[in-house]
Amino acid sequence: MTNRFEIAGVPLASRFLLGTAGYPNPQLLADAVKASQTQLLTVGLKRSMQEKAGDNGFVAMALAAARAQGARLLPNTAGCRSAGEAVQLACMARELYDTHWIKLEVTGDEHTLQPDPFELLAATSELVKLGFAVLPYCTDDLVLCRRLLDAGCAVLMPWGAPIGSGQGLLNPWALRTLRERLPEAVLIVDAGLGAPSHAAQAMELGYDAVLLNSAVAQARDPVRMACAFRDAVRAGRQAYLAGLMPAQDFAVPSTPVSGHAFILS
Amino acid sequence: MNIQILIDELPCELPAGSNLAALLALLQRAPHSVATAVNGQFVAREARPGTVLAEGDRVLLFKPIVGG
């Protein structure tokens, strides 16, 4: 079993992908990035006339942290509601960030921020034609995931739970099924992870990596939490490679005594 | 003669015949600081000088932000 991790043919030393939004200040963002040892940082785009004020240096610090870390940038299409919008925004992201990697997000429901499977698929087909490496944020639906791979996605990024909810893996069965049915695909759990144990669980299922943001950014101590997730991802991967023992309904004695330890009567 | 366009939904008056590169200069935006779209279609940096704006055009400017 190989321990190599690649996205679109590019080897990455870390299986912990980190978002850059919502940190208390730019320095904590940079420190958390450094502590995470991530090699892939997500970023976004927004209309530039919407706010006159600057961003207090967050973007500059994120870009500097990526450079210092040797990390790649992964721009997203957050806020898009249709394939057409997402394709246009992806083109803008490619120009602004000088990368053809795109985290494809197309929202289908405002309440859950659930990805729209139909628009995702349509956008993927177009973006692949335009030369993008597409990393779709998708649901854990097996048929959708197969169609996305067929359309040329570089990896799949099914949700663990709704974005920012911190609920962990709501449907481990579906995620396990995806892993079993798509053994060759690069699978990354994206969104909904709230605790390092959630990340470890995803990695123990055989997922290739995890992507998260809020759980680190909103921690009381984001730097320490970045360390915790970094270690949990490594632990989960090691456990997967080592092979988890099968769960059983009944106790099985671990100490190899036979019969009773003492015969007192 | 002037034309009226919308920049991020805000009205803006420009001399007729202005192109997208000239608009960015007028707004004092460095060419590499934003990505542009006209009427919902991405306009690449190198295509801005040749993109002449017309009455009612909707221009969007996008900038980098942090994201998840």
Short mmCIF file of all heavy atoms in Angstrom, two decimals, chain A residues 177-245:
data_model
loop_
_atom_site.label_atom_id
_atom_site.label_comp_id
_atom_site.label_asym_id
_atom_site.label_seq_id
_atom_site.Cartn_x
_atom_site.Cartn_y
_atom_site.Cartn_z
N THR A 177 -18.35 3.66 2.06
CA THR A 177 -18.76 3.08 0.78
C THR A 177 -18.04 3.74 -0.38
O THR A 177 -17.59 3.07 -1.32
CB THR A 177 -20.29 3.24 0.60
OG1 THR A 177 -20.94 2.59 1.70
CG2 THR A 177 -20.76 2.62 -0.70
N LEU A 178 -17.91 5.07 -0.32
CA LEU A 178 -17.16 5.78 -1.37
C LEU A 178 -15.74 5.24 -1.46
O LEU A 178 -15.22 4.99 -2.55
CB LEU A 178 -17.09 7.27 -1.07
CG LEU A 178 -18.24 8.17 -1.50
CD1 LEU A 178 -17.89 9.63 -1.19
CD2 LEU A 178 -18.52 8.01 -2.98
N ARG A 179 -15.12 5.08 -0.31
CA ARG A 179 -13.72 4.60 -0.29
C ARG A 179 -13.63 3.20 -0.90
O ARG A 179 -12.71 2.91 -1.68
CB ARG A 179 -13.19 4.62 1.13
CG ARG A 179 -11.75 4.17 1.33
CD ARG A 179 -10.71 5.13 0.76
NE ARG A 179 -10.66 5.15 -0.70
CZ ARG A 179 -9.91 6.00 -1.40
NH1 ARG A 179 -9.16 6.91 -0.78
NH2 ARG A 179 -9.91 5.97 -2.72
N GLU A 180 -14.60 2.37 -0.54
CA GLU A 180 -14.57 0.99 -1.03
C GLU A 180 -14.87 0.90 -2.52
O GLU A 180 -14.27 0.11 -3.25
CB GLU A 180 -15.58 0.14 -0.25
CG GLU A 180 -15.13 -0.16 1.18
CD GLU A 180 -16.23 -0.81 2.01
OE1 GLU A 180 -17.33 -1.08 1.48
OE2 GLU A 180 -15.98 -1.03 3.21
N ARG A 181 -15.80 1.73 -2.99
CA ARG A 181 -16.24 1.63 -4.38
C ARG A 181 -15.34 2.41 -5.34
O ARG A 181 -15.38 2.18 -6.54
CB ARG A 181 -17.69 2.14 -4.51
CG ARG A 181 -18.68 1.35 -3.68
CD ARG A 181 -18.82 -0.06 -4.15
NE ARG A 181 -19.48 -0.14 -5.45
CZ ARG A 181 -19.35 -1.13 -6.32
NH1 ARG A 181 -18.56 -2.15 -6.03
NH2 ARG A 181 -19.99 -1.12 -7.46
N LEU A 182 -14.58 3.34 -4.80
CA LEU A 182 -13.69 4.15 -5.65
C LEU A 182 -12.26 4.04 -5.13
O LEU A 182 -11.65 5.03 -4.70
CB LEU A 182 -14.15 5.63 -5.63
CG LEU A 182 -15.60 5.88 -6.03
CD1 LEU A 182 -15.99 7.34 -5.78
CD2 LEU A 182 -15.84 5.51 -7.49
N PRO A 183 -11.71 2.85 -5.17
CA PRO A 183 -10.41 2.63 -4.51
C PRO A 183 -9.27 3.40 -5.14
O PRO A 183 -8.27 3.68 -4.47
CB PRO A 183 -10.20 1.11 -4.65
CG PRO A 183 -11.05 0.70 -5.80
CD PRO A 183 -12.23 1.62 -5.78
N GLU A 184 -9.39 3.76 -6.40
CA GLU A 184 -8.29 4.45 -7.07
C GLU A 184 -8.39 5.97 -6.95
O GLU A 184 -7.45 6.69 -7.28
CB GLU A 184 -8.26 4.09 -8.57
CG GLU A 184 -8.15 2.60 -8.84
CD GLU A 184 -6.90 2.00 -8.23
OE1 GLU A 184 -5.85 2.67 -8.25
OE2 GLU A 184 -6.97 0.87 -7.72
N ALA A 185 -9.54 6.47 -6.52
CA ALA A 185 -9.74 7.93 -6.49
C ALA A 185 -9.03 8.56 -5.30
O ALA A 185 -8.93 7.94 -4.24
CB ALA A 185 -11.23 8.24 -6.42
N VAL A 186 -8.55 9.78 -5.50
CA VAL A 186 -8.05 10.56 -4.37
C VAL A 186 -9.27 11.19 -3.69
O VAL A 186 -10.00 11.95 -4.32
CB VAL A 186 -7.06 11.65 -4.83
CG1 VAL A 186 -6.66 12.54 -3.66
CG2 VAL A 186 -5.83 11.02 -5.47
N LEU A 187 -9.48 10.85 -2.43
CA LEU A 187 -10.66 11.31 -1.69
C LEU A 187 -10.24 12.17 -0.51
O LEU A 187 -9.38 11.76 0.29
CB LEU A 187 -11.47 10.11 -1.18
CG LEU A 187 -12.04 9.16 -2.23
CD1 LEU A 187 -12.78 8.00 -1.54
CD2 LEU A 187 -12.98 9.90 -3.17
N ILE A 188 -10.86 13.31 -0.40
CA ILE A 188 -10.54 14.26 0.68
C ILE A 188 -11.84 14.65 1.37
O ILE A 188 -12.77 15.11 0.71
CB ILE A 188 -9.85 15.52 0.11
CG1 ILE A 188 -8.54 15.15 -0.59
CG2 ILE A 188 -9.62 16.56 1.21
CD1 ILE A 188 -7.92 16.28 -1.40
N VAL A 189 -11.92 14.45 2.67
CA VAL A 189 -13.11 14.93 3.39
C VAL A 189 -12.97 16.43 3.58
O VAL A 189 -11.97 16.93 4.10
CB VAL A 189 -13.27 14.24 4.76
CG1 VAL A 189 -14.34 14.96 5.59
CG2 VAL A 189 -13.68 12.78 4.57
N ASP A 190 -13.98 17.14 3.11
CA ASP A 190 -13.95 18.60 3.16
C ASP A 190 -15.20 19.08 3.89
O ASP A 190 -16.30 18.74 3.53
CB ASP A 190 -13.95 19.15 1.72
CG ASP A 190 -13.99 20.66 1.67
OD1 ASP A 190 -13.81 21.31 2.73
OD2 ASP A 190 -14.17 21.20 0.57
N ALA A 191 -14.99 19.88 4.91
CA ALA A 191 -16.07 20.59 5.60
C ALA A 191 -16.72 19.76 6.71
O ALA A 191 -16.88 18.55 6.60
CB ALA A 191 -17.16 21.03 4.63
N GLY A 192 -17.08 20.48 7.75
CA GLY A 192 -17.85 19.89 8.84
C GLY A 192 -17.02 19.28 9.95
O GLY A 192 -17.57 18.82 10.95
N LEU A 193 -15.70 19.26 9.78
CA LEU A 193 -14.87 18.66 10.83
C LEU A 193 -14.69 19.68 11.97
O LEU A 193 -14.28 20.81 11.74
CB LEU A 193 -13.50 18.25 10.28
CG LEU A 193 -13.53 17.28 9.09
CD1 LEU A 193 -12.12 16.88 8.70
CD2 LEU A 193 -14.37 16.06 9.40
N GLY A 194 -14.99 19.24 13.19
CA GLY A 194 -14.90 20.16 14.32
C GLY A 194 -13.82 19.81 15.31
O GLY A 194 -13.44 20.64 16.12
N ALA A 195 -13.34 18.58 15.27
CA ALA A 195 -12.37 18.13 16.26
C ALA A 195 -11.31 17.26 15.59
O ALA A 195 -11.59 16.61 14.57
CB ALA A 195 -13.08 17.32 17.35
N PRO A 196 -10.13 17.24 16.15
CA PRO A 196 -9.08 16.37 15.57
C PRO A 196 -9.52 14.91 15.46
O PRO A 196 -9.12 14.22 14.52
CB PRO A 196 -7.92 16.55 16.56
CG PRO A 196 -8.10 17.94 17.08
CD PRO A 196 -9.59 18.11 17.21
N SER A 197 -10.35 14.47 16.39
CA SER A 197 -10.83 13.07 16.32
C SER A 197 -11.64 12.83 15.04
O SER A 197 -11.63 11.73 14.49
CB SER A 197 -11.65 12.72 17.55
OG SER A 197 -12.72 13.63 17.71
N HIS A 198 -12.36 13.86 14.57
CA HIS A 198 -13.10 13.73 13.31
C HIS A 198 -12.13 13.52 12.14
O HIS A 198 -12.38 12.72 11.23
CB HIS A 198 -13.94 14.97 13.02
CG HIS A 198 -14.95 15.30 14.08
ND1 HIS A 198 -15.41 16.58 14.30
CD2 HIS A 198 -15.57 14.51 15.00
CE1 HIS A 198 -16.29 16.58 15.28
NE2 HIS A 198 -16.41 15.34 15.73
N ALA A 199 -11.03 14.27 12.17
CA ALA A 199 -10.03 14.14 11.09
C ALA A 199 -9.40 12.75 11.15
O ALA A 199 -9.20 12.11 10.11
CB ALA A 199 -8.97 15.23 11.23
N ALA A 200 -9.08 12.31 12.34
CA ALA A 200 -8.49 10.98 12.49
C ALA A 200 -9.44 9.91 11.98
O ALA A 200 -9.04 8.96 11.29
CB ALA A 200 -8.13 10.72 13.95
N GLN A 201 -10.73 10.07 12.27
CA GLN A 201 -11.73 9.09 11.81
C GLN A 201 -11.76 9.04 10.28
O GLN A 201 -11.82 7.96 9.69
CB GLN A 201 -13.10 9.46 12.36
CG GLN A 201 -14.17 8.43 12.05
CD GLN A 201 -15.57 8.90 12.45
OE1 GLN A 201 -15.77 10.05 12.86
NE2 GLN A 201 -16.54 8.01 12.32
N ALA A 202 -11.72 10.22 9.65
CA ALA A 202 -11.73 10.25 8.18
C ALA A 202 -10.50 9.55 7.62
O ALA A 202 -10.59 8.78 6.65
CB ALA A 202 -11.78 11.69 7.69
N MET A 203 -9.37 9.80 8.23
CA MET A 203 -8.14 9.17 7.75
C MET A 203 -8.15 7.67 8.00
O MET A 203 -7.64 6.89 7.19
CB MET A 203 -6.92 9.82 8.41
CG MET A 203 -6.76 11.32 8.12
SD MET A 203 -6.69 11.74 6.37
CE MET A 203 -5.13 11.01 5.91
N GLU A 204 -8.72 7.26 9.13
CA GLU A 204 -8.82 5.82 9.43
C GLU A 204 -9.70 5.09 8.42
O GLU A 204 -9.54 3.89 8.17
CB GLU A 204 -9.36 5.60 10.84
CG GLU A 204 -8.36 5.95 11.94
CD GLU A 204 -9.01 6.04 13.31
OE1 GLU A 204 -10.22 5.72 13.43
OE2 GLU A 204 -8.32 6.46 14.26
N LEU A 205 -10.67 5.83 7.84
CA LEU A 205 -11.52 5.24 6.81
C LEU A 205 -10.77 5.06 5.49
O LEU A 205 -11.31 4.48 4.54
CB LEU A 205 -12.74 6.13 6.56
CG LEU A 205 -13.82 6.15 7.64
CD1 LEU A 205 -14.89 7.19 7.29
CD2 LEU A 205 -14.45 4.78 7.80
N GLY A 206 -9.57 5.61 5.43
CA GLY A 206 -8.80 5.47 4.20
C GLY A 206 -8.84 6.69 3.31
O GLY A 206 -8.41 6.63 2.15
N TYR A 207 -9.36 7.79 3.84
CA TYR A 207 -9.35 9.02 3.05
C TYR A 207 -7.93 9.52 2.90
O TYR A 207 -7.08 9.29 3.77
CB TYR A 207 -10.31 10.06 3.65
CG TYR A 207 -11.70 9.78 3.12
CD1 TYR A 207 -12.37 8.62 3.50
CD2 TYR A 207 -12.28 10.59 2.17
CE1 TYR A 207 -13.60 8.29 2.97
CE2 TYR A 207 -13.52 10.27 1.62
CZ TYR A 207 -14.18 9.13 2.02
OH TYR A 207 -15.38 8.80 1.47
N ASP A 208 -7.67 10.16 1.78
CA ASP A 208 -6.30 10.56 1.47
C ASP A 208 -5.88 11.82 2.20
O ASP A 208 -4.68 12.05 2.40
CB ASP A 208 -6.16 10.76 -0.04
CG ASP A 208 -6.36 9.45 -0.78
OD1 ASP A 208 -5.42 8.64 -0.81
OD2 ASP A 208 -7.47 9.22 -1.29
N ALA A 209 -6.85 12.65 2.56
CA ALA A 209 -6.54 13.92 3.23
C ALA A 209 -7.82 14.50 3.79
O ALA A 209 -8.92 14.00 3.52
CB ALA A 209 -5.90 14.90 2.23
N VAL A 210 -7.67 15.57 4.57
CA VAL A 210 -8.83 16.33 5.03
C VAL A 210 -8.59 17.81 4.76
O VAL A 210 -7.45 18.26 4.72
CB VAL A 210 -9.12 16.12 6.54
CG1 VAL A 210 -9.43 14.67 6.85
CG2 VAL A 210 -7.97 16.62 7.39
N LEU A 211 -9.69 18.52 4.56
CA LEU A 211 -9.63 19.97 4.38
C LEU A 211 -10.55 20.60 5.41
O LEU A 211 -11.72 20.21 5.51
CB LEU A 211 -10.07 20.35 2.97
CG LEU A 211 -9.74 21.75 2.45
CD1 LEU A 211 -10.05 21.85 0.96
CD2 LEU A 211 -10.41 22.88 3.17
N LEU A 212 -10.04 21.54 6.16
CA LEU A 212 -10.87 22.22 7.16
C LEU A 212 -10.38 23.63 7.38
O LEU A 212 -9.27 23.99 6.99
CB LEU A 212 -10.88 21.43 8.46
CG LEU A 212 -9.51 21.23 9.11
CD1 LEU A 212 -9.38 22.07 10.36
CD2 LEU A 212 -9.31 19.75 9.44
N ASN A 213 -11.22 24.41 8.00
CA ASN A 213 -10.90 25.82 8.25
C ASN A 213 -11.38 26.26 9.64
O ASN A 213 -10.60 26.58 10.53
CB ASN A 213 -11.54 26.68 7.15
CG ASN A 213 -11.15 28.14 7.20
OD1 ASN A 213 -11.17 28.82 6.17
ND2 ASN A 213 -10.76 28.69 8.32
N SER A 214 -12.71 26.23 9.83
CA SER A 214 -13.28 26.85 11.03
C SER A 214 -12.77 26.23 12.32
O SER A 214 -12.57 26.95 13.31
CB SER A 214 -14.81 26.74 10.99
OG SER A 214 -15.32 27.32 9.81
N ALA A 215 -12.57 24.93 12.33
CA ALA A 215 -12.17 24.28 13.59
C ALA A 215 -10.84 24.81 14.09
O ALA A 215 -10.62 24.89 15.31
CB ALA A 215 -12.09 22.76 13.39
N VAL A 216 -9.97 25.21 13.18
CA VAL A 216 -8.70 25.81 13.58
C VAL A 216 -8.88 27.31 13.83
O VAL A 216 -8.49 27.83 14.88
CB VAL A 216 -7.61 25.55 12.52
CG1 VAL A 216 -6.37 26.38 12.80
CG2 VAL A 216 -7.26 24.07 12.48
N ALA A 217 -9.50 27.99 12.87
CA ALA A 217 -9.60 29.45 12.96
C ALA A 217 -10.40 29.90 14.18
O ALA A 217 -10.12 30.95 14.75
CB ALA A 217 -10.25 30.00 11.69
N GLN A 218 -11.41 29.12 14.57
CA GLN A 218 -12.28 29.54 15.67
C GLN A 218 -11.88 28.95 17.02
O GLN A 218 -12.56 29.17 18.03
CB GLN A 218 -13.73 29.15 15.35
CG GLN A 218 -14.29 29.93 14.16
CD GLN A 218 -15.70 29.52 13.80
OE1 GLN A 218 -16.40 28.89 14.59
NE2 GLN A 218 -16.12 29.87 12.60
N ALA A 219 -10.78 28.21 17.04
CA ALA A 219 -10.33 27.66 18.32
C ALA A 219 -9.84 28.79 19.23
O ALA A 219 -9.43 29.85 18.75
CB ALA A 219 -9.20 26.65 18.08
N ARG A 220 -9.87 28.55 20.51
CA ARG A 220 -9.35 29.55 21.44
C ARG A 220 -7.86 29.79 21.15
O ARG A 220 -7.37 30.91 21.24
CB ARG A 220 -9.55 29.06 22.89
CG ARG A 220 -9.18 30.07 23.93
CD ARG A 220 -9.59 29.63 25.32
NE ARG A 220 -8.98 28.36 25.72
CZ ARG A 220 -9.65 27.23 25.89
NH1 ARG A 220 -10.95 27.21 25.75
NH2 ARG A 220 -9.02 26.11 26.23
N ASP A 221 -7.18 28.72 20.77
CA ASP A 221 -5.76 28.81 20.41
C ASP A 221 -5.57 28.15 19.04
O ASP A 221 -5.34 26.94 18.95
CB ASP A 221 -4.92 28.10 21.47
CG ASP A 221 -3.44 28.20 21.22
OD1 ASP A 221 -3.04 28.53 20.07
OD2 ASP A 221 -2.66 27.94 22.16
N PRO A 222 -5.70 28.93 17.96
CA PRO A 222 -5.64 28.33 16.62
C PRO A 222 -4.32 27.61 16.33
O PRO A 222 -4.32 26.61 15.60
CB PRO A 222 -5.82 29.54 15.69
CG PRO A 222 -6.54 30.55 16.51
CD PRO A 222 -6.02 30.36 17.91
N VAL A 223 -3.23 28.10 16.87
CA VAL A 223 -1.94 27.48 16.57
C VAL A 223 -1.87 26.08 17.20
O VAL A 223 -1.47 25.11 16.57
CB VAL A 223 -0.79 28.38 17.08
CG1 VAL A 223 0.56 27.71 16.83
CG2 VAL A 223 -0.85 29.74 16.41
N ARG A 224 -2.30 26.00 18.44
CA ARG A 224 -2.30 24.70 19.11
C ARG A 224 -3.27 23.74 18.42
O ARG A 224 -2.99 22.55 18.28
CB ARG A 224 -2.68 24.87 20.59
CG ARG A 224 -2.47 23.63 21.44
CD ARG A 224 -2.88 23.91 22.88
NE ARG A 224 -1.97 24.82 23.55
CZ ARG A 224 -0.95 24.43 24.31
NH1 ARG A 224 -0.72 23.15 24.50
NH2 ARG A 224 -0.18 25.33 24.89
N MET A 225 -4.41 24.28 17.98
CA MET A 225 -5.38 23.42 17.29
C MET A 225 -4.83 22.94 15.94
O MET A 225 -5.09 21.80 15.52
CB MET A 225 -6.71 24.15 17.10
CG MET A 225 -7.84 23.26 16.61
SD MET A 225 -8.20 21.88 17.73
CE MET A 225 -9.30 22.70 18.90
N ALA A 226 -4.09 23.80 15.28
CA ALA A 226 -3.46 23.37 14.01
C ALA A 226 -2.51 22.21 14.27
O ALA A 226 -2.46 21.24 13.49
CB ALA A 226 -2.73 24.55 13.37
N CYS A 227 -1.78 22.29 15.36
CA CYS A 227 -0.88 21.18 15.73
C CYS A 227 -1.69 19.91 16.00
O CYS A 227 -1.30 18.80 15.60
CB CYS A 227 -0.07 21.54 16.97
SG CYS A 227 1.13 22.84 16.71
N ALA A 228 -2.80 20.08 16.70
CA ALA A 228 -3.62 18.92 17.07
C ALA A 228 -4.17 18.23 15.81
O ALA A 228 -4.15 16.99 15.71
CB ALA A 228 -4.77 19.36 17.98
N PHE A 229 -4.66 19.02 14.87
CA PHE A 229 -5.17 18.43 13.63
C PHE A 229 -4.04 17.79 12.82
O PHE A 229 -4.22 16.71 12.23
CB PHE A 229 -5.90 19.48 12.79
CG PHE A 229 -7.37 19.57 13.10
CD1 PHE A 229 -7.87 20.55 13.92
CD2 PHE A 229 -8.26 18.65 12.56
CE1 PHE A 229 -9.22 20.64 14.21
CE2 PHE A 229 -9.62 18.72 12.83
CZ PHE A 229 -10.10 19.72 13.67
N ARG A 230 -2.91 18.47 12.77
CA ARG A 230 -1.76 17.91 12.04
C ARG A 230 -1.43 16.51 12.57
O ARG A 230 -1.26 15.56 11.81
CB ARG A 230 -0.56 18.85 12.23
CG ARG A 230 0.74 18.38 11.61
CD ARG A 230 1.91 19.14 12.25
NE ARG A 230 2.06 18.76 13.65
CZ ARG A 230 2.68 19.52 14.58
NH1 ARG A 230 3.17 20.69 14.25
NH2 ARG A 230 2.79 19.09 15.81
N ASP A 231 -1.36 16.40 13.89
CA ASP A 231 -1.00 15.12 14.50
C ASP A 231 -2.11 14.08 14.33
O ASP A 231 -1.84 12.89 14.14
CB ASP A 231 -0.68 15.31 15.99
CG ASP A 231 0.58 16.16 16.20
OD1 ASP A 231 1.33 16.33 15.21
OD2 ASP A 231 0.78 16.66 17.31
N ALA A 232 -3.36 14.54 14.40
CA ALA A 232 -4.49 13.61 14.23
C ALA A 232 -4.53 13.04 12.82
O ALA A 232 -4.83 11.86 12.63
CB ALA A 232 -5.81 14.33 14.55
N VAL A 233 -4.25 13.88 11.85
CA VAL A 233 -4.24 13.41 10.45
C VAL A 233 -3.14 12.36 10.28
O VAL A 233 -3.35 11.31 9.66
CB VAL A 233 -4.03 14.60 9.49
CG1 VAL A 233 -3.73 14.11 8.07
CG2 VAL A 233 -5.27 15.49 9.48
N ARG A 234 -2.00 12.62 10.85
CA ARG A 234 -0.90 11.64 10.76
C ARG A 234 -1.27 10.34 11.48
O ARG A 234 -1.03 9.24 10.96
CB ARG A 234 0.36 12.22 11.39
CG ARG A 234 1.02 13.27 10.52
CD ARG A 234 2.25 13.81 11.21
NE ARG A 234 2.86 14.87 10.43
CZ ARG A 234 3.66 15.79 10.93
NH1 ARG A 234 3.95 15.79 12.22
NH2 ARG A 234 4.18 16.73 10.16
N ALA A 235 -1.86 10.48 12.65
CA ALA A 235 -2.24 9.29 13.42
C ALA A 235 -3.28 8.46 12.67
O ALA A 235 -3.19 7.23 12.59
CB ALA A 235 -2.78 9.70 14.79
N GLY A 236 -4.27 9.15 12.10
CA GLY A 236 -5.31 8.44 11.36
C GLY A 236 -4.75 7.72 10.15
O GLY A 236 -5.15 6.59 9.84
N ARG A 237 -3.83 8.36 9.48
CA ARG A 237 -3.23 7.72 8.30
C ARG A 237 -2.41 6.50 8.71
O ARG A 237 -2.47 5.44 8.07
CB ARG A 237 -2.33 8.74 7.58
CG ARG A 237 -1.63 8.19 6.34
CD ARG A 237 -2.63 7.81 5.26
NE ARG A 237 -1.98 7.19 4.11
CZ ARG A 237 -2.63 6.66 3.08
NH1 ARG A 237 -3.96 6.67 3.06
NH2 ARG A 237 -1.99 6.12 2.09
N GLN A 238 -1.63 6.66 9.78
CA GLN A 238 -0.83 5.53 10.26
C GLN A 238 -1.73 4.36 10.65
O GLN A 238 -1.42 3.20 10.37
CB GLN A 238 0.00 5.96 11.48
CG GLN A 238 1.13 6.91 11.15
CD GLN A 238 2.32 6.22 10.52
OE1 GLN A 238 2.18 5.39 9.63
NE2 GLN A 238 3.51 6.55 10.98
N ALA A 239 -2.85 4.69 11.29
CA ALA A 239 -3.77 3.64 11.72
C ALA A 239 -4.36 2.91 10.51
O ALA A 239 -4.49 1.68 10.51
CB ALA A 239 -4.89 4.24 12.57
N TYR A 240 -4.69 3.68 9.49
CA TYR A 240 -5.24 3.06 8.28
C TYR A 240 -4.22 2.13 7.65
O TYR A 240 -4.55 1.00 7.25
CB TYR A 240 -5.65 4.15 7.28
CG TYR A 240 -6.08 3.59 5.95
CD1 TYR A 240 -7.26 2.88 5.81
CD2 TYR A 240 -5.27 3.79 4.82
CE1 TYR A 240 -7.63 2.36 4.59
CE2 TYR A 240 -5.65 3.27 3.60
CZ TYR A 240 -6.83 2.56 3.48
OH TYR A 240 -7.19 2.05 2.27
N LEU A 241 -2.97 2.60 7.56
CA LEU A 241 -1.93 1.78 6.95
C LEU A 241 -1.65 0.54 7.80
O LEU A 241 -1.35 -0.53 7.27
CB LEU A 241 -0.65 2.60 6.77
CG LEU A 241 -0.73 3.72 5.74
CD1 LEU A 241 0.55 4.56 5.77
CD2 LEU A 241 -0.97 3.18 4.34
N ALA A 242 -1.73 0.72 9.12
CA ALA A 242 -1.45 -0.40 10.02
C ALA A 242 -2.56 -1.44 9.97
O ALA A 242 -2.31 -2.63 10.19
CB ALA A 242 -1.27 0.12 11.44
N GLY A 243 -3.77 -1.00 9.70
CA GLY A 243 -4.90 -1.93 9.64
C GLY A 243 -5.63 -2.01 10.96
O GLY A 243 -5.09 -2.54 11.94
N LEU A 244 -6.84 -1.48 10.99
CA LEU A 244 -7.63 -1.50 12.23
C LEU A 244 -8.18 -2.91 12.47
O LEU A 244 -8.58 -3.59 11.53
CB LEU A 244 -8.79 -0.52 12.15
CG LEU A 244 -8.42 0.96 12.00
CD1 LEU A 244 -9.66 1.78 11.70
CD2 LEU A 244 -7.75 1.46 13.27
N MET A 245 -8.20 -3.30 13.70
CA MET A 245 -8.82 -4.60 14.02
C MET A 245 -10.32 -4.52 13.78
O MET A 245 -10.93 -3.46 13.95
CB MET A 245 -8.54 -5.01 15.46
CG MET A 245 -9.19 -4.11 16.49
SD MET A 245 -9.10 -4.77 18.16
CE MET A 245 -10.42 -5.97 18.14
#
